[in-house]
Amino acid sequence: MKFVKLAIVFLLCCLSKINAQNYELGKVTIDELKERIHPKDTAAPAAILFKKAKTFFTYDRKNGFSANHVYEFKIKIYKKEGLEWANQKVHYYIGYENLNEDRLEFSNGVTYNLENGAIVKTNLDNQGAFKKKVNKYWNEKMITLPNVKVGSIIEYKYTLKSENITELPDFQIQYDIPVNYFEYKTEIPEFYIYKPILIGTMPIETDAKLVNKSQSFDDEYQHTNTLSYRQISTFYKGKDVAALTNEPYVNNVDNYRGCIHHEIEQIRYPDQPVKDYSITWEGVASTIFKEKNFGKELEEKNFLLEDVRKLVTDAQSLDERLNIIFKYVQGRMNWNEKNDYYTDKGVIKAYTDQTGNVAEINFILINMLKLAGIETNPVLVSTVENGVPVYPTRTGFNYVIAAARIDDKPILLDASHKFTSPNILPLNVLNWKGRLIKSDGTSQEIDLNPSVVSKEFSNVMVKIDDSGKLEGKVRIQKTDYDAYSFRIHNASKSKESYLEKFEEKLGDLKISDYTVENKATNLTEPVIETFGFVSDNQSEIIGGKIFVNPLLFFTRSKNPFNQEKRQMGVYFGYPTLEKFSLNIEIPAGYVVESIPKPIRISSENKEVSFTLNISNQENKIQIISLKEINSSIFAAEDYNGLKELFQKMIASQNEKIVLKKI
């Protein structure tokens, strides 16, 4: 099975000649208003009848070029669940240091209804528009379109103006509802070289050409001048884009959501050196290190020197130094829940405050490890919710971790979270590849997917009496990411709260004598749970015979993969090995009439396998079950194979052990 590729470069060549069609706001028909269901997706609560956008650049003497992005939407409401589309909101950036804030304005908001056979039009007024501050970096504007009901058609337009020409907004193609038609025009001056990237798999037609362009502007003496240049004009269009629906085992649905992304590669003004942004990874690394909130902060070490000396005075090895410093930073620093690969207030103030963002905490860790004689560099990461940077990019990252190297072995570290440990990162950081960058401009790809299999071993000793009641003891051991997952989900829960949910999960067991080791301490050690249990609902008595599932309360009865078709890859997070060892003592006066046959199944490349072995000797039944998942992610085309394998696995678990009276 192969990893699904989430993006492909969109070459600016003419794939087909496109004649623009007449998709205009205000052109609503009675037939459109009468339509009760979407013709190609009868379950759709609404549909985008068309989405149009245009990106173009304007010039003035003071600010140079600015980018303008104009969007138009026409949406049909089919069901009451679709009424939420009457509320629209757009974020825009205000946190620039050297640029003016972005500006966003809604316009042309209209609702159309069919009343007594006539089209009734209701315009958006000022009471339906809102603005709010999200944080110091972002504002949000919202509109609520009036008089929207099932059957309505709504239209609106908004314009985003920005002096930020290094990062264009993504043009989203795919939504949670169908899109009947879309088109996107870009008019980009030749000075700016962008890499267009298509995310998703839907076909898109495009046409690109180089044309002459000129703009008038006023000089410092208020005289009108003309700026002439060449412009890359590109036109994208497509139709019948299916809704992107939720599917189980998906890391981030937006990794698969269709959109056109523009990544700045170079800026090349006449008679000036070319400014390399992201055409190479070396360009990415050198550009980022030049930023004062990155490279300069990684030079701030002197204030840490005395603390490092105290910490490592008695350390005998580099490994010991690393572990001491990591635990110290992790214990001292508190994450303010902000992800970034740039510092905010700086490492010195963050260290004093004992609070900082991800960059500040991990830069402190990097600087302390360097002072301790350990080679350490930053690794840029895009978290799961931020998507996957497939090509050289600065804007695709939103996080930074540390990579230490001891005896030529890399050790990945993140001290911003309380339950991480060396080579155990937060789950949302396990997102394909990171990029280790150095101050000399070199970089290398870092595989973030764990190479070590996380294990969960469950040992069960149980007795069954002649009424079918089960009584026994369980020991569960979790390692690596299975242990980490347990800690982050349960470390703050009370014993009573945890056991209430745990008993319910295991089929309403009655648990006693519960203990747990290494729940919030000894983070490199396995989490170990032990408990006794009693259950009277894990067996059936029919005709004097006792029927019981071989895995008892660990039996899975439903296949998580029940869709006929799969749009997205299947994401398991990390490789796992799940093992159940059960020793069942049958009641006196009973013998085993039948047991399920042993089974071993696996995927074609052995990336998923399942084994169930059952043996019987006298009054004891021994069961060993193994499930191995050796890859973190599988392509959508592998879905049918996974679905079939899981179905066979579940079927074998639900074959009964049958006990009969002698």
Side-chain angles (χ1 to χ4, degrees):
M1 297 180 181
K2 298 179 180 178
F3 176 71
V4 59
K5 288 203 171 179
L6 303 179
I8 59 171
V9 175
F10 220 6
L11 298 177
L12 288 178
C13 59
C14 179
L15 299 183
S16 65
K17 291 293 182 183
I18 298 168
N19 294 318
Q21 298 184 40
N22 184 21
Y23 290 92
E24 302 294 336
L25 296 180
K27 306 293 185 181
V28 174
T29 67
I30 290 177
D31 286 342
E32 288 175 322
L33 288 167
K34 284 183 175 179
E35 191 173 76
R36 295 298 173 220
I37 60 172
H38 190 271
K40 295 189 176 182
D41 183 354
T42 57
I48 297 174
L49 302 184
F50 72 74
K51 175 184 178 179
K52 295 171 58 180
K54 182 179 180 180
T55 292
F56 62 96
F57 285 61
T58 52
Y59 182 85
D60 66 60
R61 179 186 60 82
K62 181 179 179 181
N63 299 311
F65 280 103
S66 295
N68 304 265
H69 314 281
V70 182
Y71 301 86
E72 297 179 1
F73 288 83
K74 180 179 181 180
I75 301 171
K76 169 73 178 184
I77 310 299
Y78 293 109
K79 301 178 181 181
K80 64 179 182 180
E81 294 83 4
L83 294 174
E84 64 184 32
W85 286 84
N87 302 308
Q88 295 293 330
K89 59 183 179 181
V90 180
H91 284 61
Y92 58 100
Y93 199 73
I94 59 170
Y96 301 114
E97 288 187 11
N98 302 313
L99 301 175
N100 291 316
E101 296 178 357
D102 289 354
R103 290 165 290 162
L104 186 136
E105 296 295 335
F106 279 97
S107 62
N108 298 69
V110 183
T111 302
Y112 298 88
N113 288 298
L114 190 62
E115 297 180 10
N116 300 319
I119 298 175
V120 176
K121 178 179 175 182
T122 309
N123 292 312
L124 175 70
D125 58 27
N126 291 333
Q127 293 181 346
F130 310 91
K131 174 184 175 181
K132 78 171 185 179
K133 188 178 183 69
V134 177
N135 53 45
K136 68 179 182 179
Y137 300 107
W138 294 92
N139 273 0
E140 178 182 86
K141 281 195 176 179
M142 301 160 282
I143 57 169
T144 297
L145 289 150
N147 198 26
V148 178
K149 58 188 77 173
V150 173
S152 297
I153 287 176
I154 59 176
E155 294 182 340
Y156 65 94
K157 175 181 178 180
Y158 71 87
T159 302
L160 174 66
K161 295 184 177 181
S162 177
E163 294 175 12
N164 179 10
I165 48 79
T166 63
E167 187 173 0
L168 305 184
D170 289 348
F171 177 77
Q172 187 171 325
I173 295 168
Q174 195 170 30
Y175 292 79
D176 299 337
I177 58 175
V179 178
N180 291 6
Y181 174 82
F182 69 85
E183 67 179 46
Y184 181 37
K185 299 177 181 178
T186 63
E187 298 176 351
I188 299 174
E190 61 183 326
F191 316 119
Y192 306 110
I193 307 303
Y194 294 91
K195 178 189 295 165
I197 299 172
L198 169 66
I199 297 174
T201 58
M202 69 290 299
I204 295 181
E205 298 177 53
T206 182
D207 188 16
K209 56 188 175 182
L210 199 60
V211 299
N212 293 322
K213 177 73 175 180
S214 64
Q215 291 196 45
S216 297
F217 67 95
D218 291 335
D219 64 17
E220 57 187 315
Y221 305 107
Q222 302 303 308
H223 296 154
T224 300
N225 284 354
T226 300
L227 175 66
S228 298
Y229 55 90
R230 305 197 78 189
Q231 170 180 286
I232 301 171
S233 296
T234 310
F235 181 60
Y236 309 90
K237 89 166 188 178
K239 62 180 181 178
D240 297 332
V241 181
L244 191 62
T245 56
N246 289 327
E247 297 176 327
Y249 292 97
V250 172
N251 52 355
N252 176 11
V253 67
D254 288 329
N255 284 348
Y256 304 87
R257 190 182 301 279
C259 76
I260 300 171
H261 173 77
H262 283 86
E263 175 73 26
I264 188 71
E265 289 185 335
Q266 292 181 337
I267 295 179
R268 49 188 193 192
Y269 293 124
D271 303 320
Q272 293 185 23
V274 172
K275 191 170 184 179
D276 181 1
Y277 277 87
S278 62
I279 193 168
T280 65
W281 282 116
E282 287 68 26
V284 170
S286 61
T287 301
I288 289 174
F289 259 100
K290 289 175 183 175
E291 298 286 349
K292 65 178 182 179
N293 292 341
F294 194 95
K296 184 176 181 295
E297 295 292 320
L298 287 168
E299 297 299 322
E300 295 283 2
K301 301 188 190 72
N302 291 340
F303 75 101
L304 298 166
L305 186 57
E306 189 58 34
D307 285 344
V308 171
R309 284 174 180 163
K310 291 177 182 178
L311 287 168
V312 302
T313 297
D314 298 323
Q316 300 299 312
S317 67
L318 292 181
D319 284 310
E320 189 176 352
R321 289 184 178 188
L322 182 144
N323 287 322
I324 290 170
I325 291 172
F326 178 81
K327 289 177 182 177
Y328 172 78
V329 176
Q330 186 181 48
R332 176 189 175 94
M333 299 302 298
N334 296 287
W335 178 44
N336 62 12
E337 299 191 1
K338 292 182 180 179
N339 293 341
D340 208 335
Y341 61 87
Y342 290 129
T343 61
D344 185 7
K345 57 187 173 183
V347 293
I348 295 176
K349 190 169 189 335
Y351 191 74
T352 302
D353 296 344
Q354 299 186 28
T355 302
N357 67 11
V358 163
E360 286 154 351
I361 293 172
N362 285 326
F363 284 3
I364 289 168
L365 174 64
I366 291 169
N367 291 343
M368 294 185 84
L369 290 173
K370 285 182 176 180
L371 288 172
I374 300 171
E375 179 189 347
T376 314
N377 288 289
V379 177
L380 301 175
V381 172
S382 175
T383 59
V384 164
E385 58 273 12
N386 194 59
V388 176
V390 180
Y391 296 96
T393 173
R394 295 181 312 119
T395 59
F397 297 110
N398 69 324
Y399 203 95
V400 63
I401 61 173
R405 182 167 288 274
I406 298 176
D407 296 333
D408 209 32
K409 294 180 181 178
I411 303 167
L412 301 181
L413 304 161
D414 183 352
S416 66
H417 288 58
K418 293 303 181 186
F419 296 113
T420 57
S421 57
N423 283 326
I424 300 295
L425 303 171
L427 296 175
N428 68 333
V429 172
L430 305 181
N431 194 28
W432 197 28
K433 308 286 185 183
R435 197 79 193 178
L436 184 151
I437 62 174
K438 298 182 179 181
S439 56
D440 62 5
T442 61
S443 71
Q444 68 183 82
E445 192 173 72
I446 298 293
D447 191 351
L448 298 171
N449 292 316
S451 57
V452 176
V453 174
S454 297
K455 300 171 183 176
E456 180 173 333
F457 292 164
S458 300
N459 292 283
V460 182
M461 304 287 291
V462 60
K463 293 182 179 181
I464 304 177
D465 68 16
D466 56 8
S467 69
K469 179 180 177 181
L470 277 66
E471 185 172 358
K473 294 183 177 180
V474 177
R475 183 179 189 271
I476 303 173
Q477 177 176 299
K478 300 179 173 71
T479 71
D480 299 306
Y481 279 99
D482 281 336
Y484 175 75
S485 296
F486 178 88
R487 290 182 178 111
I488 61 174
H489 289 119
N490 302 303
S492 61
K493 291 181 182 177
S494 68
K495 180 178 177 180
E496 293 73 20
S497 174
Y498 171 72
L499 287 181
E500 181 182 354
K501 296 292 185 183
F502 194 39
E503 287 178 335
E504 182 181 345
K505 177 183 175 182
L506 296 181
D508 295 322
L509 292 185
K510 300 301 179 185
I511 289 177
S512 61
D513 302 321
Y514 176 85
T515 63
V516 58
E517 300 175 37
N518 307 319
K519 178 181 178 181
T521 57
N522 303 322
L523 302 182
T524 58
E525 298 296 320
V527 170
I528 300 174
E529 297 177 277
T530 58
F531 56 89
F533 71 90
V534 174
S535 176
D536 55 10
N537 63 359
Q538 292 293 324
S539 64
E540 294 179 287
I541 298 179
I542 303 173
K545 297 180 181 181
I546 300 175
F547 295 80
V548 62
N549 288 325
L551 297 187
L552 305 177
F553 37 79
F554 293 118
T555 301
R556 289 171 174 79
S557 58
K558 293 183 179 179
N559 189 344
F561 306 116
N562 54 19
Q563 301 163 282
E564 288 191 19
K565 294 182 180 180
R566 180 86 180 190
Q567 290 180 288
M568 294 171 273
V570 178
Y571 179 77
F572 290 106
Y574 49 87
T576 59
L577 171 61
E578 182 182 63
K579 180 179 180 181
F580 297 105
S581 299
L582 298 95
N583 193 312
I584 301 174
E585 183 178 326
I586 68 176
Y590 280 77
V591 295
V592 175
E593 180 180 86
S594 64
I595 57 176
K597 293 180 180 179
I599 183 174
R600 178 173 177 79
I601 52 177
S602 65
S603 60
E604 183 178 349
N605 294 335
K606 313 295 184 185
E607 289 181 320
V608 181
S609 65
F610 174 74
T611 302
L612 181 65
N613 287 313
I614 305 177
S615 61
N616 166 228
Q617 189 172 5
E618 297 180 351
N619 70 330
K620 299 285 179 63
I621 302 172
Q622 291 185 325
I623 302 159
I624 295 179
S625 169
L626 283 170
K627 182 183 74 176
E628 295 181 74
I629 300 176
N630 294 313
S631 183
S632 300
I633 191 166
F634 296 83
E637 53 262 33
D638 297 318
Y639 173 73
N640 288 334
L642 279 174
K643 178 180 178 181
E644 183 180 354
L645 190 149
F646 269 72
Q647 192 58 45
K648 289 178 180 177
M649 178 179 70
I650 290 166
S652 70
Q653 291 183 20
N654 285 274
E655 291 183 20
K656 304 292 185 181
I657 296 171
V658 182
L659 309 177
K660 68 177 182 179
K661 286 185 177 181
I662 299 174

